[in-house]
Amino acid sequence: CILDSGIDASHPELFGRVRMTEAVEESEGRVSTAVLDPSLNNDQLGHGTATAGVVARLAPNAELLDIRVMGRQTRLRGEALLAGLERAIKLDARVINISLAVSKRFALPLSRLCDQAYKKGMVVVAAKRNLPLTDQGFPGEFASCVGVESGAFRRPLDILYRPGEIIEYAAQGENVEVPVAGGGWTIQSGASFAAPAVSA
């Protein structure tokens, strides 16, 4: 399950891979979930297509669930991520990729959901915050998540375990070729693209 900005399922790298698409929408301070056509371009920012592309390339048999938690109209809000993660848990997603981070204000309810997923045997993979702040990013810091930071590795499936670190894994996140929403490919770097390598 990709919790992100949506996926362009019409892209050649992702065509036929997206089984279901939903969008968390915000209106008058409330969030709700809408079902979308999983064969279309439902990516509003391009970020979700890129992260989904990493998973699709490295795990060719994986089916993707697309839950859009951020879009053009609003910046990422913690409420949307909480609603999206809750939905992913209800759908019994085996692996949940979160290449996003929210502020500490949402840490408590987010940690409860991550604990719930962990107890159900689900794996939540979350990217480290790219910009240095007082924290390394939530939910990546939680013990019930697999926290991932970006590194430079020779092979795309090389993963480094770092015992004793809050963000305990590093994976290939430097100069990664990713699909672009609307067509084509580009090169991106950052923890957002390392996390899906671990999810894969």
Short mmCIF file of all heavy atoms in Angstrom, two decimals, residues 46-47 50 150 172-180 186-190 192-193:
data_model
loop_
_atom_site.label_atom_id
_atom_site.label_comp_id
_atom_site.label_asym_id
_atom_site.label_seq_id
_atom_site.Cartn_x
_atom_site.Cartn_y
_atom_site.Cartn_z
N GLY A 46 3.04 13.94 -8.24
CA GLY A 46 4.12 13.20 -8.87
C GLY A 46 4.95 12.35 -7.92
O GLY A 46 5.65 11.45 -8.36
N HIS A 47 4.86 12.62 -6.65
CA HIS A 47 5.68 11.91 -5.66
C HIS A 47 5.26 10.45 -5.52
O HIS A 47 6.10 9.56 -5.44
CB HIS A 47 5.57 12.64 -4.32
CG HIS A 47 6.57 12.24 -3.30
ND1 HIS A 47 6.32 11.26 -2.36
CD2 HIS A 47 7.83 12.68 -3.06
CE1 HIS A 47 7.38 11.12 -1.58
NE2 HIS A 47 8.31 11.97 -1.97
N ALA A 50 6.42 8.10 -8.32
CA ALA A 50 7.85 7.80 -8.20
C ALA A 50 8.10 6.71 -7.16
O ALA A 50 8.84 5.75 -7.42
CB ALA A 50 8.63 9.07 -7.84
N SER A 150 18.23 7.58 3.31
CA SER A 150 18.82 7.43 1.99
C SER A 150 20.32 7.18 2.08
O SER A 150 21.01 7.72 2.93
CB SER A 150 18.57 8.71 1.17
OG SER A 150 19.18 8.63 -0.08
N GLN A 172 19.18 2.28 -0.98
CA GLN A 172 19.52 3.08 -2.16
C GLN A 172 18.48 4.18 -2.37
O GLN A 172 17.33 3.91 -2.71
CB GLN A 172 19.60 2.19 -3.39
CG GLN A 172 19.84 2.92 -4.70
CD GLN A 172 21.10 3.75 -4.69
OE1 GLN A 172 22.07 3.43 -4.02
NE2 GLN A 172 21.10 4.83 -5.43
N GLY A 173 18.91 5.41 -2.18
CA GLY A 173 18.03 6.55 -2.40
C GLY A 173 18.70 7.67 -3.17
O GLY A 173 18.15 8.77 -3.28
N GLU A 174 19.89 7.41 -3.69
CA GLU A 174 20.63 8.42 -4.43
C GLU A 174 20.57 8.13 -5.93
O GLU A 174 20.87 7.03 -6.36
CB GLU A 174 22.09 8.46 -3.96
CG GLU A 174 22.25 8.75 -2.47
CD GLU A 174 21.66 10.08 -2.05
OE1 GLU A 174 21.88 11.08 -2.76
OE2 GLU A 174 20.93 10.10 -1.03
N ASN A 175 20.16 9.14 -6.68
CA ASN A 175 20.11 9.05 -8.14
C ASN A 175 19.33 7.83 -8.62
O ASN A 175 19.81 7.00 -9.38
CB ASN A 175 21.54 9.02 -8.72
CG ASN A 175 22.32 10.26 -8.36
OD1 ASN A 175 21.81 11.37 -8.46
ND2 ASN A 175 23.55 10.08 -7.91
N VAL A 176 18.09 7.74 -8.15
CA VAL A 176 17.20 6.63 -8.49
C VAL A 176 16.34 7.02 -9.69
O VAL A 176 15.72 8.09 -9.69
CB VAL A 176 16.30 6.27 -7.29
CG1 VAL A 176 15.37 5.11 -7.64
CG2 VAL A 176 17.13 5.95 -6.06
N GLU A 177 16.30 6.16 -10.69
CA GLU A 177 15.41 6.41 -11.83
C GLU A 177 13.99 6.05 -11.44
O GLU A 177 13.72 4.93 -10.98
CB GLU A 177 15.83 5.58 -13.05
CG GLU A 177 14.98 5.92 -14.27
CD GLU A 177 15.35 5.10 -15.49
OE1 GLU A 177 15.39 3.85 -15.36
OE2 GLU A 177 15.57 5.70 -16.55
N VAL A 178 13.07 7.00 -11.61
CA VAL A 178 11.68 6.79 -11.20
C VAL A 178 10.74 7.26 -12.31
O VAL A 178 11.09 8.14 -13.10
CB VAL A 178 11.37 7.56 -9.89
CG1 VAL A 178 12.16 7.00 -8.72
CG2 VAL A 178 11.63 9.05 -10.04
N PRO A 179 9.54 6.67 -12.37
CA PRO A 179 8.56 7.12 -13.36
C PRO A 179 7.98 8.48 -12.99
O PRO A 179 7.89 8.83 -11.81
CB PRO A 179 7.49 6.03 -13.32
CG PRO A 179 7.62 5.42 -11.96
CD PRO A 179 9.05 5.52 -11.59
N VAL A 180 7.60 9.22 -14.00
CA VAL A 180 7.00 10.55 -13.83
C VAL A 180 5.51 10.45 -14.14
O VAL A 180 5.12 9.85 -15.15
CB VAL A 180 7.67 11.57 -14.78
CG1 VAL A 180 6.97 12.92 -14.70
CG2 VAL A 180 9.15 11.70 -14.46
N THR A 186 12.55 10.08 -14.63
CA THR A 186 13.50 11.09 -14.18
C THR A 186 14.38 10.49 -13.09
O THR A 186 14.17 9.34 -12.68
CB THR A 186 12.76 12.35 -13.67
OG1 THR A 186 13.72 13.40 -13.45
CG2 THR A 186 12.03 12.08 -12.35
N ILE A 187 15.36 11.26 -12.63
CA ILE A 187 16.25 10.83 -11.55
C ILE A 187 15.92 11.63 -10.30
O ILE A 187 15.82 12.86 -10.35
CB ILE A 187 17.73 11.06 -11.94
CG1 ILE A 187 18.08 10.30 -13.23
CG2 ILE A 187 18.65 10.63 -10.80
CD1 ILE A 187 17.97 8.80 -13.12
N GLN A 188 15.75 10.93 -9.18
CA GLN A 188 15.44 11.58 -7.90
C GLN A 188 16.34 11.02 -6.81
O GLN A 188 16.82 9.90 -6.91
CB GLN A 188 13.97 11.34 -7.52
CG GLN A 188 12.96 11.98 -8.44
CD GLN A 188 12.79 13.47 -8.16
OE1 GLN A 188 13.41 14.04 -7.28
NE2 GLN A 188 11.93 14.10 -8.95
N SER A 189 16.52 11.80 -5.75
CA SER A 189 17.28 11.36 -4.59
C SER A 189 16.54 11.72 -3.32
O SER A 189 15.80 12.71 -3.28
CB SER A 189 18.67 12.02 -4.57
OG SER A 189 19.45 11.61 -5.66
N GLY A 190 16.74 10.92 -2.27
CA GLY A 190 16.14 11.21 -0.97
C GLY A 190 15.59 9.97 -0.32
O GLY A 190 15.47 8.91 -0.95
N SER A 192 12.67 9.36 0.49
CA SER A 192 11.39 8.96 -0.12
C SER A 192 11.56 7.81 -1.08
O SER A 192 10.63 7.03 -1.29
CB SER A 192 10.77 10.15 -0.86
OG SER A 192 10.30 11.11 0.03
N PHE A 193 12.74 7.71 -1.70
CA PHE A 193 12.96 6.69 -2.70
C PHE A 193 13.77 5.51 -2.17
O PHE A 193 13.86 4.47 -2.80
CB PHE A 193 13.61 7.33 -3.93
CG PHE A 193 12.88 8.59 -4.32
CD1 PHE A 193 13.42 9.84 -4.04
CD2 PHE A 193 11.60 8.54 -4.85
CE1 PHE A 193 12.72 11.00 -4.32
CE2 PHE A 193 10.88 9.69 -5.12
CZ PHE A 193 11.44 10.92 -4.87
#
